[in-house]
Amino acid sequence: SVICAGDKATLTANGGISYMWSDGSTTASTMVMPMITTTYTVTVTDATPCTATKSITITVLPSPSVSFSYMETSGNAPNDSIICEGDTVMITASGGGTYLWSTGAITEKITVFPIANTTYTVTVIGANGCSSTKSTTIAVKPLPIAAVTPEFETICTGESTTLTASGGTSYIWSTGAVTPSIVVSPTATTTYIVSVSNADGCIDTASVLVEV
């Protein structure tokens, strides 16, 4: 007479030819799924017809309340369950005492490296033996394709050149500039690096060597 929240129980009475349960059922057996501890009563009638009434209490134990938290371990990701191509993410489940993941892991935390959108499922078992199963989907966003033109440049001392990045929606150069194009006039051979971000917040880098 003890079940976990979300489970069903079949109650079966005997001793008569007709039955009336407090849940409205009129068969010998009734299937119930109480969300809280509930008492069910059945009235049994025999051929006489005499009646007898009996009750049973179904005690409902709470199932674990499962939640997830995320930490992108590569740092190149927008937020939570959204990561960028090539990144890894640590998923932490909470709410129970023991854990079983669809990956086979039995720890609270798993670190995954999905190459496409992937759903991970965990079954959490609480101290009272009740369990809950919950899934989370890690969405994998593509990286931008960063490029700089020209790919290589040679200038003479005192000259300048324009470098133009492409492939994203925002740009940060090693000079601190945040525009797609920059004008540089190095006094010595210098490598310039640009970080290119796309609309998903994913980042790729490109570099160009300017020889003086």
Side-chain angles (χ1 to χ4, degrees):
S1 62
V2 178
I3 66 171
C4 298
D7 286 350
K8 297 177 181 179
T10 298
L11 310 180
T12 301
N14 54 48
I17 60 172
S18 66
Y19 304 86
M20 174 61 71
W21 290 90
S22 54
D23 68 350
S25 299
T26 57
T27 53
S29 295
T30 181
M31 181 176 289
V32 297
M33 190 175 71
M35 300 308 298
I36 59 173
T37 297
T38 304
T39 298
Y40 297 91
T41 301
V42 63
T43 297
V44 181
T45 304
D46 65 14
T48 308
C50 294
T51 62
T53 300
K54 194 168 185 178
S55 298
I56 184 173
T57 298
I58 302 298
T59 301
V60 181
L61 301 179
S63 295
S65 178
V66 183
S67 60
F68 297 107
S69 61
Y70 311 87
M71 183 175 68
E72 294 83 3
T73 56
S74 299
N76 180 23
N79 64 287
D80 291 343
S81 58
I82 301 173
I83 68 171
C84 296
E85 186 179 4
D87 281 355
T88 59
V89 59
M90 179 185 291
I91 309 172
T92 302
S94 61
T98 59
Y99 301 83
L100 176 60
W101 291 87
S102 52
T103 62
I106 56 174
T107 54
E108 182 181 7
K109 305 172 188 279
I110 60 170
T111 299
V112 294
F113 180 67
I115 58 175
N117 292 356
T118 304
T119 298
Y120 299 92
T121 301
V122 64
T123 297
V124 179
I125 303 173
N128 60 7
C130 294
S131 64
S132 294
T133 299
K134 193 171 183 179
S135 298
T136 181
T137 298
I138 303 298
V140 181
K141 300 297 183 179
L143 297 177
I145 302 176
V148 178
T149 54
E151 295 180 356
F152 177 82
E153 182 71 300
T154 300
I155 62 173
C156 297
T157 301
E159 292 182 342
S160 60
T161 187
T162 299
L163 308 177
T164 301
S166 61
T169 57
S170 63
Y171 305 88
I172 301 178
W173 289 87
S174 50
T175 63
V178 293
T179 53
S181 296
I182 60 172
V183 177
V184 296
S185 182
T187 58
T189 297
T190 304
T191 298
Y192 296 90
I193 301 172
V194 62
S195 294
V196 178
S197 301
N198 60 16
D200 293 316
C202 298
I203 301 170
D204 191 24
T205 60
S207 62
V208 57
L209 177 69
V210 178
E211 183 179 38
V212 180

